[in-house]
Amino acid sequence: KGAMGQLQTNLAASGIDRAAIDTVVISHFHPDHINGLLLPDNKPAFPNAEILVPAAEWKFWTDEGELSRAPDGLKGNFANTKRVFGALGNKVTQYGAGKDIVPGVTAIAAPGHTPGHSAFMISSGSAALLHTVDAVAGTGLLFIRHPDWQVFFDMDGNVAVQTRRKLLDQAAADKVLFASYHVPFPAIGYIEKDGNGYRFVAAPWNPVI
């Protein structure tokens, strides 16, 4: 009803032709991160793009043994993974952590939210941005302030806490620009240490380009 599914509308409004996109980088296989790879008719949303996915994530969600052991609440995610990537065929390429997957984008292993969840260091010249994706999933600022808290979205809460602290420590120490999903607009800023937790300082936003 208009609250979600606006990616293609927003791309068009920004003057971006989806057919001109040649690479799409996926962080993990939760539906809100992969369902936009398909149009409502199940055809590829980015017909000329190579889809890059974390190898560890691919291994887990395509493993029939993992499916058989999964609780009922997760089985739908296995089915959705099969549906989405089954429609994409040979357009999918797996990548490993710690490597430049495209020029200027380095994948960082960030497990816990999902087994193969990945974050990214994105750089251009002297500028850099650490995108932690769903390492602070849920109400993002809450888990920046209280990094040891756990949320049911994270498949392994203890590992997610370790990952979250590692990434937030890096962002604070390096004073690098920080971004994450599930953080309020503008969702880009800086991380500062604040007692046992952290503080998010939003970057100034200028709507005039």
Side-chain angles (χ1 to χ4, degrees):
K1 298 182 179 180
M4 294 180 286
Q6 300 301 313
L7 174 59
Q8 296 301 330
T9 301
N10 289 334
L11 284 175
S14 300
I16 299 172
D17 180 2
R18 64 187 179 89
I21 293 174
D22 58 16
T23 308
V24 176
V25 180
I26 297 297
S27 58
H28 65 297
F29 289 0
H30 279 167
D32 58 325
H33 291 263
I34 63 172
N35 283 3
L37 292 172
L38 300 181
L39 299 174
D41 60 3
N42 284 328
K43 292 182 179 179
F46 307 99
N48 299 314
E50 179 184 19
I51 312 301
L52 304 182
V53 304
E57 191 78 348
W58 181 271
K59 179 180 180 181
F60 179 83
W61 293 109
T62 60
D63 188 319
E64 292 295 326
E66 296 291 355
L67 170 59
S68 67
R69 293 187 290 271
D72 289 344
L74 275 184
K75 292 188 185 299
N77 209 70
F78 283 88
N80 188 63
T81 295
K82 186 174 183 179
R83 176 187 72 86
V84 171
F85 292 109
L88 293 172
N90 61 4
K91 291 180 176 290
V92 179
T93 301
Q94 299 177 46
Y95 64 80
K99 299 178 181 179
D100 289 346
I101 51 179
V102 295
V105 179
T106 303
I108 302 170
H113 185 63
T114 64
H117 178 264
S118 298
F120 306 99
M121 182 64 77
I122 303 167
S123 59
S124 177
S126 61
L129 177 139
L130 176 62
H131 200 317
T132 63
V133 191
D134 277 6
V136 288
T139 307
L141 294 182
L142 187 64
F143 292 93
I144 291 173
R145 291 195 297 268
H146 305 282
D148 294 330
W149 288 10
Q150 299 185 15
V151 63
F152 73 93
F153 295 117
D154 292 333
M155 293 176 62
D156 188 325
N158 291 330
V159 172
V161 167
Q162 295 172 22
T163 291
R164 185 156 49 244
R165 279 199 169 275
K166 179 181 178 180
L167 292 172
L168 292 173
D169 278 342
Q170 180 180 353
D174 295 346
K175 295 181 173 58
V176 67
L177 198 61
F178 167 94
S180 183
Y181 291 119
H182 310 294
V183 168
F185 180 87
I188 296 177
Y190 295 90
I191 297 296
E192 297 178 351
K193 285 285 292 181
D194 185 16
N196 192 46
Y198 307 84
R199 179 190 302 112
F200 175 70
V201 181
W205 177 257
N206 186 348
V208 179
I209 298 177

